[in-house]
Amino acid sequence: METLIIILAGVLVSVATYLLLSKNVIRVILGTAILTHAAHLLLMAMGGFHNKSVPIIDGNGTDYVDALPQALILTSIVISFAVTAFFLVLAYRAYQELGTDNLYKLRGSRR
Amino acid sequence: MNNIIVFPMVIPVLTGIFLLFLRRHIILQRWVIILSLLATMIISFIILGQIQTEGILRLDFGDWKPPFGILFVADSFSMLLVLTASFVATACLIYAFFSIGEAYEKMFFYPFVSLLIGGVNGSFLTGDLFNLFVCFEVMLLASYALIALGGKKLQLRESIKYMAINVVSSWIFLVAIAYLYGTLGTLNMAHLSVRIAEVGQTPILTVISILFLIVFSLKAGLLLYQWLPGSYSAPPPAVAAIFGALLTKVGIYALFRIFTLMFYHEPSITHTMIGIMAAITIIGGSIGAIAYNDIRQIISYNVVIAVGFILIGLAVGTNIAFEGSIYYLIHDMVVKALLFLLAGTMIILTGTEQINRVSGLIRNYPVLGWLFFVVMLSLAGIPPLSGFLGKVLVGQGAIESGSYVLLALGFLSTLFVLYSLLRVFLNSFWGETMIMVDDEKPLRKGLVIPCLILTLATVGLGVGAEGISVYVIDAAKTLSNPEIYINAVLNN
């Protein structure tokens, strides 16, 4: 199971890298969103599944998954959600104001 | 267990949320945020005093004992930075009251600043790595908003780049946390330190530490500073001052924490890398600082040089060098804010950022000229001012450990700082005045007073170094003896 998740994370990272390297702002934003989710999968895999059930201790305390990675991922999903939403709004405003969503045209330090 | 140490984070965050509801009442917003910052300052001062008598304080949230729960830890190092951050932010906000304009104030400027300060203080205080990530994100989201606020073309362009870079670096942070959790099974900093000491710093741990080095270098502007001059020159002066004074310092704080508390077993790899990166940062920053005519770029590159200099102290890694770095860190927060505010005032008064289009300002605005002169001396490290002690102590540490290259580069950078600012001073303040007395814009008191407060602080830090030396020595002792921190956290 861990292997599968890690391979999935790898695939997501490569997809995200492809998107991040493109010119279009929206693609970059989607790339960052996918990148973060790859990190979440990695966190989960690093916590380990050990073929156990759920992250809840059921009184016996024998049959459960480490709850900490799940808590971290939950927090991180919320953060990435907020950041992506903000990034999309920012890109939209920038498109309105600058008239382009092409990153090459946004280069340079001159105003 | 001490509940007081949660306040430096909670007060700004709650104030930020509260201010959202006061959107139309600008005067009220100003009073609320100033009072909240003053309260934060007073509380930080009280905590700093308590640490001297009771040792390092900690707060376990929900009474989950470490290493299981999340916690806040306050030692002298973090509290000194919290105190300075609140102080500098207060001065910058007073400046903002008089310069930022109603449009900003109605567009939630104060809530964002308040949240930013909450994130900064939280990052200084947190005792586990994941909360460090969360506080970083709180701080960064507020900073994204502050760069873009105002919606000028330049701001939007720079904020897109700034955001993209920071999102990717946050990703690396998450990956590093994931690997660290996978190898050691904990994220509590003190507990991590114990575990790393138990297993020895194996190669995989060194690799993870380098991942952390990359992340925090990006945030601190160490070597990976290419985003910094652009983003720090886009927002209005008050915001740029808060950024220049606070944001990179959080990265520096994290580097110090990580590499003195946890990954200190392989200095030949990690600390050498930090040393090389600091050296390149200083060289690059110096070149940048003398290359531009745009005053905002010049002072942004000065931020970069300071980052390199402070991290020499970490690379050298002796007790004296830590003391020097802490002094210099505090000095730099105050002086960089002052420098950004003065440059902003110049831009407001003359309407241009190009230093060769302005001359003779000192005749029209003598106070401004002399303040700029003082800040220049202070940055160069002339004795009665605050930069001196930090430079001497870092230099002494570098000599002790035989890092002569770093020593030479560090002191050479002083010359470049002095030269770059002298160029501004000679071009803009000396010479024939170009502003007639009739079209002279009045220099409002509101713009000068915060600069005066900060100037007094830099003089005070230099002359009254005895006063803070107790805290600095204690902070350096905690940094060079990780057991103190570990005992304070793990002993129930």
Side-chain angles (χ1 to χ4, degrees), chain B residues 226-351:
Chain B
Q226 286 76 8
W227 55 271
L228 193 147
S231 351
Y232 282 17
S233 54
V239 179
I242 294 178
F243 281 16
L246 302 186
L247 289 193
T248 55
K249 307 303 179 287
V250 181
I252 296 175
Y253 167 82
L255 279 174
F256 267 89
R257 255 300 165 253
I258 300 265
F259 285 97
T260 57
L261 181 65
M262 288 149 50
F263 298 108
Y264 57 91
H265 302 282
E266 285 278 5
S268 59
I269 300 173
T270 49
H271 289 57
T272 312
M273 268 186 80
I274 295 173
I276 295 170
M277 288 165 87
I280 300 174
T281 311
I282 287 176
I283 296 170
S286 303
I287 293 172
I290 58 172
Y292 286 92
N293 273 327
D294 182 335
I295 185 166
R296 293 177 146 190
Q297 299 275 350
I298 295 175
I299 56 180
S300 302
Y301 276 105
N302 268 306
V303 173
V304 174
I305 300 177
V307 170
F309 189 83
I310 294 167
L311 284 158
I312 287 179
L314 179 58
V316 166
T318 62
N319 193 28
I320 295 282
F322 287 147
E323 266 177 45
S325 286
I326 296 165
Y327 267 120
Y328 202 79
L329 199 52
I330 297 168
H331 147 81
D332 197 61
M333 284 166 96
V334 174
V335 171
K336 281 289 141 53
L338 177 55
L339 191 58
F340 272 95
L341 291 186
L342 288 176
T345 314
M346 283 170 64
I347 295 170
I348 289 172
L349 291 173
T350 60

Side-chain angles (χ1 to χ4, degrees), chain A residues 13 32 35 39 42-43 46 66 68-69 72 75-76 79 82-83 86-87 90 93-94 97-98 106 108 110-111, chain B residues 130 134 137 144-145 148 151 153-154 156-157 159-161 163-164 167 171 174-175 178-179 181-182 187 294 353:
Chain A
V13 170
T32 58
L35 201 60
L42 182 70
L43 264 172
M46 281 297 162
D66 186 0
L68 191 72
L72 303 188
T75 319
S76 177
I79 291 171
V83 171
F86 186 86
F87 209 167
L90 186 70
R93 275 290 292 145
E97 201 69 32
L98 301 163
L106 299 177
R110 307 255 171 260
R111 53 204 64 195
Chain B
F130 197 78
V134 174
E137 287 301 317
Y144 302 150
K153 285 187 177 177
L154 176 74
L156 289 168
R157 213 179 63 183
S159 60
I160 284 185
K161 298 176 202 165
M163 249 193 111
V167 171
W171 173 73
L174 264 185
V175 169
Y179 283 137
Y181 189 74
L187 287 175
D294 182 335
E353 298 95 11

